[in-house]
Amino acid sequence: MRKPGDQARVFDIGETVVRRDMYRGRTWSEQALRVIEDSDVALVTACHPGAEALWPSLYAKAHADGDRTMRTEAFDAMATGEWELAPGVWQETEVLLWKPPTAWFSINAFFTVAGLRNWYVNFEHPTRRTDDGFHTFDLTVDLVIDPDLSTLTWKDEDEYAHVRRLGIVTDTEHRAVELARALVLAMLEERAGPFAEADRWAAWRWNPSWPAPCLPRREGAGPGAVAASG
């Protein structure tokens, strides 16, 4: 729930917002999204192929080359504060993102032309709203759930252990993640949150009148972009 006196405005349906992952006051990544719903329960946004993004350059290269070892280098660069951002473009999948304001996770649904591919729980910082979107921070570990909610798989536990060793994820954050893991599993078991309306969310489709969302323009932004997909 938004706190009394919170002056953050409510976003309009269809409005472009920017998700920024922030680490120690610096931008780690940006993703342009469109608003689907905005309420006290959750901010629901969506991404579409062609949406603009900024990624850490090493992370983007790891994706482009299919080399996971370079992702480790990207986290090493994060720990030292020495990273650069590269422009990117989202490809292949549409994504629906359900983000409660105080939760240490978001629940995402990935779609291909065939329909819902999978649910994906991203463990991350609670939302801090900005004039043009919101700040959070991806804490690396994820949970992948089959479309029918019957099977789940934990993902990137190795990278989570690495960022824990580097001190990127603190003990306090780790405790919050452990509580968030238990909460998400309970939601799944009880069919709560978006899982209570799984069929409705599974039937969602991008509004064809909306172009892919763009990031705010910056002076000196280069044209080269790295493709990324979910």
Side-chain angles (χ1 to χ4, degrees):
M1 299 289 288
R2 292 177 198 152
K3 297 177 181 178
D6 187 351
Q7 298 301 310
R9 67 184 179 87
V10 175
F11 296 117
D12 296 326
I13 294 175
E15 182 177 356
T16 294
V17 293
V18 180
R19 170 192 167 125
R20 291 184 178 88
D21 282 69
M22 304 294 295
Y23 180 66
R24 294 182 179 173
R26 288 185 57 197
T27 300
W28 173 250
S29 68
E30 292 187 357
Q31 180 69 61
L33 306 165
R34 285 201 184 273
V35 176
I36 306 301
E37 293 181 8
D38 189 6
S39 71
D40 287 347
V41 175
L43 174 62
V44 184
T45 55
C47 190
H48 186 271
E52 292 183 344
L54 285 174
W55 319 104
S57 55
L58 284 173
Y59 204 87
K61 183 169 174 44
H63 183 90
D65 296 348
D67 181 2
R68 282 184 61 86
T69 62
M70 197 165 290
R71 287 164 57 111
T72 300
E73 293 181 32
F75 293 128
D76 293 342
M78 179 194 286
T80 63
E82 298 176 356
W83 72 83
E84 297 179 352
L85 297 178
V89 178
W90 189 259
Q91 290 192 339
E92 297 179 11
T93 56
E94 294 176 352
V95 186
L96 196 63
L97 185 154
W98 186 87
K99 177 68 173 171
T102 61
W104 284 76
F105 60 85
S106 62
I107 297 177
N108 307 265
F110 281 77
F111 298 84
T112 67
V113 293
L116 178 62
R117 187 188 73 183
N118 60 268
W119 300 88
Y120 194 100
V121 183
N122 206 53
F123 293 88
E124 60 194 28
H125 278 194
T127 297
R128 182 166 66 83
R129 290 199 176 207
T130 63
D131 288 341
D132 64 353
F134 61 95
H135 289 177
T136 184
F137 180 56
D138 188 336
L139 297 170
T140 309
V141 69
D142 308 294
L143 178 64
V144 182
I145 306 169
D146 284 358
D148 64 1
L149 307 179
S150 63
T151 305
L152 56 87
T153 305
W154 291 102
K155 182 175 178 289
D156 298 333
E157 293 276 23
D158 56 337
E159 292 184 347
Y160 184 68
H162 184 61
V163 296
R164 287 276 290 135
R165 287 191 295 270
L166 291 171
I168 292 172
V169 175
T170 66
D171 289 344
T172 298
E173 290 168 323
H174 175 64
R175 287 191 290 271
V177 169
E178 291 300 291
L179 290 172
R181 290 193 199 226
L183 177 56
V184 168
L185 292 177
M187 291 174 63
L188 185 59
E189 177 71 21
E190 298 165 6
R191 296 297 189 263
F195 302 130
E197 300 181 282
D199 290 344
R200 178 170 79 91
W201 289 118
W204 172 85
R205 293 297 181 272
W206 181 269
N207 185 331
S209 69
W210 292 343
C214 298
L215 293 174
R217 295 275 72 88
R218 289 177 174 79
E219 291 186 13
V226 179
S229 60

